[in-house]
Amino acid sequence: MGALKIPGLLAIAIAVVGYTYFSGGYAVTILSFSLIYAVFVTGLNVFMGLAGQVSFGQNAFAAISGYSSAVLTANYGWEPLAAFCIGLGASLSLALIVGYPVVRLKGHYLAMATLAIGLVIYEVAVQWDNVTGGYMGVSGIPRVGIGPWVIGSDRAMLVFIAIVTALSIAAAACIRRSRLGRAMQAISGSEDAAQALGIDVDRYKLAAFLISAVYAAMAGTLFVHLVGFVSPEVFGLHMVILAFTMLFVGGIGTTFGPLVGAVIITVLPEVFRELNEYQDMAYGAALILLLIFAPKGLSTLSAFWRPRSAKTTVTAT
């Protein structure tokens, strides 16, 4: 990541949030959703893009944290922060329990095992209706706040979510440059080679799994407090498919790819909404074109903006 690229992306991000904040209306809600998904996909990127593993079950950790916050705040009057801590603890506990045996799997076996986790949690949310409300869900979830201080407006909630997203991306960038991140990248390259270098492959894969669960838990809690309602469909397979689309469109393994992908994929349906019955066709065509002309993700297109001398230097090295 070039030194000039980061300030430029930060300036663009601040400009987009600022413009949306002052514009108000439906755009505030759309951008808030995209930023929440950016947090979720950033965690998925740690496990997939950094550690080179595959997970179809991150929605399970978002569901556990989201439902914990929803039930405890709406039905029992807990403070949102305390409810989030309970939900985060529950998500991490599940990630630790199932992660220890699951991360020992490889390839499609790992993918199917994580998919099963998500399906099990979805069924629990549906069947445990005396707590989760089943398909009727949980309503009346309050906004984020501490004591008398509550984030009441959509614009204030957007600023709060933007700050959480920025901190989440910064933390992921720090992880990438740390010893932990370098070990994960070694595992992504070759597990056998990493093990030959003395890296405890299973331990680092589990660490990546736990980190991604933390991000998913944050996203799940933010979502329910933004909408004020939660049902099993919110954390279903649609969330998994959407997250994968965002990750690959933005750029898997990149720092800002999850943010770029989340914003693009969230905004595209709104752009094509006026096409009525041709909306899905236009949306699908746009995704195909994005993947054809930017197969490594939109966040990697900045390489084409570099001076020719810089490209030559990179190629020569």
Side-chain angles (χ1 to χ4, degrees):
M1 187 70 64
L4 295 177
K5 183 180 177 183
I6 295 178
L9 288 174
L10 289 177
I12 294 173
I14 294 173
V16 170
V17 173
Y19 175 80
T20 306
Y21 178 87
F22 289 108
S23 299
Y26 185 55
V28 173
T29 302
I30 293 299
L31 186 57
S32 297
F33 282 140
S34 65
L35 292 179
I36 291 173
Y37 263 104
V39 175
F40 182 83
V41 179
T42 298
L44 183 63
N45 191 39
V46 171
F47 191 64
M48 290 187 59
L50 199 59
Q53 308 303 308
V54 181
S55 174
F56 289 93
Q58 297 304 113
N59 57 324
F61 309 116
I64 291 174
S65 181
Y67 266 105
S68 297
S69 291
V71 172
L72 293 176
T73 56
N75 297 342
Y76 297 97
W78 280 46
E79 290 287 337
L81 181 59
F84 166 69
C85 292
I86 296 297
L88 178 61
S91 297
L92 277 175
S93 297
L94 176 66
L96 185 61
I97 293 172
V98 303
Y100 186 76
V102 163
V103 296
R104 297 174 182 272
L105 302 175
K106 296 181 181 180
H108 60 279
Y109 296 106
L110 174 61
M112 295 305 295
T114 54
L115 176 63
I117 298 170
L119 294 176
V120 168
I121 297 301
Y122 177 84
E123 286 300 320
V124 170
V126 171
Q127 301 298 331
W128 201 10
D129 54 358
N130 60 330
V131 175
T132 65
Y135 287 113
M136 298 300 294
V138 179
S139 58
I141 305 169
R143 284 291 177 89
V144 176
I146 300 177
W149 184 77
V150 178
I151 303 177
S153 67
D154 291 339
R155 293 182 178 183
M157 193 68 180
L158 171 62
V159 173
F160 175 75
I161 294 173
I163 293 173
V164 173
T165 304
L167 293 175
S168 300
I169 294 175
C174 291
I175 292 172
R176 175 186 297 275
R177 291 190 292 267
S178 67
R179 180 179 178 182
L180 173 63
R182 291 193 296 271
M184 291 179 185
Q185 292 177 66
I187 293 172
S188 177
S190 172
E191 292 189 18
D192 294 333
Q195 195 164 17
L197 292 173
I199 297 174
D200 190 335
V201 173
D202 292 337
R203 187 180 70 174
Y204 282 103
K205 286 170 65 175
L206 180 60
F209 193 67
L210 293 175
I211 292 171
S212 63
V214 171
Y215 277 85
M218 287 193 296
T221 297
L222 287 173
F223 186 92
V224 300
H225 285 290
L226 173 65
V227 179
F229 172 79
V230 63
S231 64
E233 289 79 6
V234 171
F235 302 113
L237 281 178
H238 174 73
M239 185 179 196
V240 177
I241 297 172
L242 202 59
F244 267 73
T245 306
M246 292 173 177
L247 183 58
F248 283 98
V249 168
I252 185 170
T254 62
T255 302
F256 292 97
L259 175 62
V260 174
V263 172
I264 294 298
I265 297 303
T266 306
V267 171
L268 271 182
E270 304 303 322
V271 173
F272 298 127
R273 188 173 294 277
E274 295 183 358
L275 297 179
N276 298 324
E277 64 268 21
Y278 299 105
Q279 176 184 352
D280 293 338
M281 184 183 299
Y283 179 66
L287 289 180
I288 293 173
L289 291 174
L290 287 174
L291 293 175
I292 290 176
F293 292 102
K296 294 184 179 180
L298 292 175
S299 63
T300 62
L301 292 180
S302 61
F304 295 101
W305 303 337
R306 297 174 185 168
R308 182 176 297 274
S309 60
K311 292 182 182 181
T312 305
T313 301
V314 172
T315 304
T317 55

